[in-house]
Amino acid sequence: KEDLYIEYETVAAECPDETDGSLTITNIGGGSPPYTVNEGIDWEFEGLSPGYFFVEIVDDNNCVLIDTVVIDTLLSSCLIIPNAFTPNGDGVNDVWMLDEDENGSDMYLYPDAELTIFNRWGEVIYFSSNVANEPWDGTYKGRDLPIDSYHYVLDLKNGDPPITGNVTIIKGELER
């Protein structure tokens, strides 16, 4: 008899913290049918995180094949963090919105995220523990801040080190 084998296709997850990867077993051969896959009969697995996924095939004679499948990622980060915005009241780019792209926001992946923004003297000028719903509007204590570069610390509360960087307030129109 031929040894058990599997053939499969994977779909990568969008980014490291997303669970939209999938695995489809396209063929099982060898051994003695019928086969069970991971103690069931499903050949499709959806909602997978990036990383390793273990597939266990058992045939009718209780022969076992265990294979490790890698679910990759399409993007190295789940976030888009703009480095500038124009809080000038024109209705375009007036707030510093983290991760707003054509697909909407992925900040829901980090419901406990905290954002702290500092001025050049290290003074905290903005803090939010509701980053997805509280974009920074470029003010401090109700006053518009001047054109400048501000330092931020974004703690996603996912076990990774905080993300740090700078965001610049620009008072003109930002080209798209």
Side-chain angles (χ1 to χ4, degrees):
K1 284 223 170 207
E2 187 177 9
D3 288 343
L4 275 172
Y5 68 90
I6 64 169
E7 297 169 354
Y8 55 84
E9 296 174 357
T10 62
V11 173
E14 179 184 6
C15 60
D17 293 320
E18 193 64 79
T19 57
D20 58 355
S22 67
L23 162 67
T24 302
I25 297 173
T26 56
N27 188 30
I28 300 175
S32 299
Y35 308 106
T36 60
V37 179
N38 289 18
E39 299 180 9
I41 56 171
D42 245 350
W43 285 30
E44 292 185 35
F45 302 89
E46 296 181 347
L48 301 180
S49 299
Y52 299 103
F53 187 80
F54 298 98
V55 178
E56 181 183 81
I57 309 293
V58 180
D59 76 358
D60 198 42
N61 291 328
N62 286 323
C63 294
V64 178
L65 168 69
I66 298 176
D67 199 356
T68 304
V69 177
V70 177
I71 303 298
D72 289 320
T73 60
L74 297 174
L75 305 171
S76 61
S77 174
C78 294
L79 294 178
I80 296 170
I81 302 176
N83 59 7
F85 71 114
T86 59
N88 58 10
D90 68 357
V92 177
N93 212 18
D94 283 334
V95 295
W96 191 49
M97 180 71 71
L98 298 184
D99 193 55
E100 194 64 34
D101 62 18
E102 65 275 1
N103 298 321
S105 177
D106 282 335
M107 282 306 298
Y108 71 89
L109 293 170
Y110 314 104
D112 300 321
E114 293 181 348
L115 174 65
T116 308
I117 299 176
F118 304 87
N119 64 17
R120 67 176 52 233
W121 299 278
E123 181 180 10
V124 174
I125 58 170
Y126 178 80
F127 174 81
S128 176
S129 58
N130 187 8
V131 180
N133 298 311
E134 294 176 355
W136 183 43
D137 63 2
T139 64
Y140 176 58
K141 293 185 177 179
R143 292 188 164 176
D144 290 342
L145 289 170
I147 295 172
D148 206 343
S149 183
Y150 298 86
H151 185 77
Y152 66 83
V153 176
L154 176 61
D155 187 348
L156 300 177
K157 301 288 186 180
N158 66 350
D160 290 345
I163 299 167
T164 61
N166 295 303
V167 57
T168 301
I169 290 179
I170 300 171
K171 292 295 182 171
E173 290 186 18
L174 194 62
E175 286 188 30
R176 288 190 163 269

